[in-house]
């Protein structure tokens, strides 16, 4: 399947204009979702039984829960970033050490932010939020940084890898909303323009080196330090206090449901190992194989947004 996307970002005298070509986002529900078999009624019944028997359900979500909202992931067969391009995500150590790499990252993020921040929850996010309101979902752990669970109203939530909607100063640790930084970018780059070819996960787009060279990046207003999205980049580690917090939630749960994750990253996989040690029943809803299929009592290869709304959580 050929994927094409052109984003044009240019300034006028009074404001910025972002144009997104229709082929990129029209019908985005299926654009980044890998093929899956039709729903198996027997499997739906088995998941319904799993949820019915759960009294303190912990749910862990990954990128596969947000692809139906139009956000690409990294690893999905044929449609993930790794399958579509030879590009790889930014590494934490490179971002911290190199000002030119930070410049390139923020220029790309500046162009991609209007679209990324406008993504909305899909039926899977709404279903999980409803489970919480009904008292079925005890705790939700997400590996995603897109804030879609928050937008859907989830409150018993841990964002394991942080959130793109916050910005962190590497110098003093001050947190600020990402939207405020967008305004500072605009003020510093009144005549800058760029055209991106393709979108990537986590609010990123593809720009040429020539487009990036003239882009100006602001510093922290408090201390002048470099700014970074409040997320865990590849090669970085999750805050130990956050890891301990999630381990305690797993210890308190009586079952664990994985939604839209291949569990290839250890930061999420370790909680499956904790659940196994506690002998919790584990169910996995993910299109394609995962690292923990052999540990699950139930595995479903279906779209998250198609299956979860069918489950009665009362």
């Amino acid at each position: 399947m050929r994927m094409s996307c052109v984003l044009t970002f240019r300034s006028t005298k009074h404001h910025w204009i972002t144009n997104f070509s229709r082929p990129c986002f029209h019908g985005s529900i299926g654009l980044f979702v890998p093929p899956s078999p039709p729903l198996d009624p027997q499997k739906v019944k088995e998941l319904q039984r799993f949820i019915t028997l759960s009294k303190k359900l912990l749910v862990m979500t990954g990128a596969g829960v947000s692809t139906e909202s139009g956000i690409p992931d990294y690893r999905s067969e044929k449609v993930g970033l790794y399958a579509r391009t030879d590009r790889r995500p930014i590494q934490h150590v490179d971002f911290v050490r190199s000002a030119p790499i930070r410049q390139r990252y923020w220029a790309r993020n500046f162009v991609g932010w209007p679209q990324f921040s406008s993504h909305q929850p899909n039926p899977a996010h709404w279903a999980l939020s409803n489970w919480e309101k009904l008292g079925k979902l005890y705790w939700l752990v997400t590996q995603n940084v897109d804030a879609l669970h928050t937008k859907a109203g989830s409150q018993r939530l841990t964002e394991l890898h942080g959130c793109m909607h916050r910005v962190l100063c590497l110098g003093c640790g001050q947190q600020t909303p990402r939207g405020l930084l967008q305004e500072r970018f605009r003020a510093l780059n009144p005549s800058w323009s760029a055209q991106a070819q393709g979108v990537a996960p986590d609010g990123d787009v593809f720009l040429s080196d020539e487009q990036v060279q003239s882009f100006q990046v602001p510093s922290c207003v408090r201390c002048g330090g470099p700014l970074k999205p409040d997320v865990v980049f590849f090669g970085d580690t999750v805050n130990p206090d956050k890891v301990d917090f999630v381990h305690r939630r797993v210890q308190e749960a009586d079952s664990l449901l994985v939604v839209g994750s291949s569990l290839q990253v250890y930061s999420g996989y370790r909680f499956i190992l904790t659940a196994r040690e506690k002998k919790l029943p584990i169910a996995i809803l993910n299109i394609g194989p995962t690292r923990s299929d052999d540990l699950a009592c139930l595995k479903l290869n279906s779209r998250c947004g198609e299956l979860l709304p069918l489950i009665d959580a009362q």
Side-chain angles (χ1 to χ4, degrees):
M1 176 169 54
R2 183 176 180 271
M3 302 248 182
S4 64
C5 176
V6 178
L7 295 80
T8 303
F9 214 85
R10 61 186 176 85
S11 65
T12 67
K13 184 176 181 181
H14 300 292
H15 61 281
W16 286 85
I17 297 175
T18 308
N19 295 322
F20 300 95
S21 66
R22 291 183 65 83
C24 178
F25 297 103
H26 179 67
S28 61
I29 286 179
L31 185 58
F32 300 118
V33 183
S36 61
L39 279 178
D40 182 343
Q42 182 58 39
K43 288 286 189 179
V44 176
K45 290 180 180 179
E46 292 178 21
L47 180 60
Q48 177 65 70
R49 175 174 171 77
F50 180 90
I51 298 301
T52 299
L53 293 176
S54 301
K55 304 305 177 186
K56 296 187 74 172
L57 173 68
L58 186 140
V59 176
M60 176 179 293
T61 66
V65 79
S66 292
T67 53
E68 291 174 63
S69 290
I71 300 177
D73 67 3
Y74 289 106
R75 296 179 176 83
S76 286
E77 184 179 357
K78 297 182 180 179
V79 295
L81 179 72
Y82 294 162
R84 291 183 288 119
T85 77
D86 60 358
R87 297 176 182 267
R88 293 298 179 263
I90 192 168
Q91 297 292 312
H92 174 79
V93 65
D94 295 333
F95 185 94
V96 172
R97 291 179 178 175
S98 172
I101 287 179
R102 291 196 295 272
Q103 178 191 42
R104 183 181 65 189
Y105 173 85
W106 280 122
R108 290 160 51 161
N109 189 268
F110 172 61
V111 175
W113 179 251
Q115 177 64 24
F116 182 80
S117 61
S118 70
H119 286 297
Q120 295 300 313
N122 64 58
H125 297 100
W126 291 113
L128 293 174
S129 177
N130 188 50
W131 291 8
E132 178 186 320
K133 293 182 176 66
L134 294 172
K136 174 60 68 176
L137 189 151
Y138 174 64
W139 204 263
L140 175 60
V141 180
T142 185
Q143 300 171 86
N144 300 337
V145 297
D146 51 35
L148 293 187
H149 286 300
T150 299
K151 289 182 179 182
S154 293
Q155 296 182 1
R156 300 179 65 83
L157 169 69
T158 296
E159 294 171 320
L160 191 63
H161 296 150
C163 182
M164 288 294 299
H165 289 251
R166 297 187 300 268
V167 176
L168 179 71
C169 172
L170 293 176
C172 66
Q174 183 183 42
Q175 284 188 347
T176 54
R178 175 62 181 80
L180 294 181
L181 182 60
Q182 193 75 357
E183 296 302 322
R184 296 185 65 199
F185 281 137
R186 289 171 177 156
L188 279 176
N189 299 276
S191 60
W192 187 82
S193 62
Q195 185 175 62
Q197 296 290 331
V199 295
D202 305 336
D204 202 3
V205 299
F206 304 145
L207 298 177
S208 68
D209 291 340
E210 291 75 19
Q211 290 172 309
V212 169
Q213 287 176 355
S214 62
F215 188 76
Q216 300 298 308
V217 180
S219 301
C220 174
V221 295
R222 176 193 284 177
C223 75
L227 300 176
K228 172 185 174 293
D230 189 15
V231 300
V232 178
F233 281 144
F234 281 75
D236 195 7
T237 57
V238 179
N239 182 288
D241 291 338
K242 185 180 289 188
V243 173
D244 290 343
F245 178 87
V246 175
H247 274 305
R248 291 196 297 272
R249 301 293 82 77
V250 175
Q251 292 285 349
E252 295 162 357
D254 67 358
S255 55
L256 192 151
L257 171 65
V258 177
V259 178
S261 176
S262 63
L263 300 169
Q264 292 301 315
V265 179
Y266 180 74
S267 60
Y269 174 68
R270 60 180 143 202
F271 301 117
I272 308 302
L273 299 180
T274 299
R276 181 188 65 175
E277 291 172 3
K278 198 191 171 195
K279 295 183 171 54
L280 297 184
I282 300 170
I284 299 176
L285 168 57
N286 186 70
I287 300 175
T290 81
R291 191 176 180 179
S292 298
D293 286 355
D294 60 330
L295 304 180
C297 63
L298 176 62
K299 172 67 194 321
L300 305 102
N301 286 283
S302 300
R303 291 189 177 195
C304 307
E306 184 179 18
L307 179 52
L308 293 185
L310 300 178
I311 302 302
D312 182 359
Q314 294 187 7

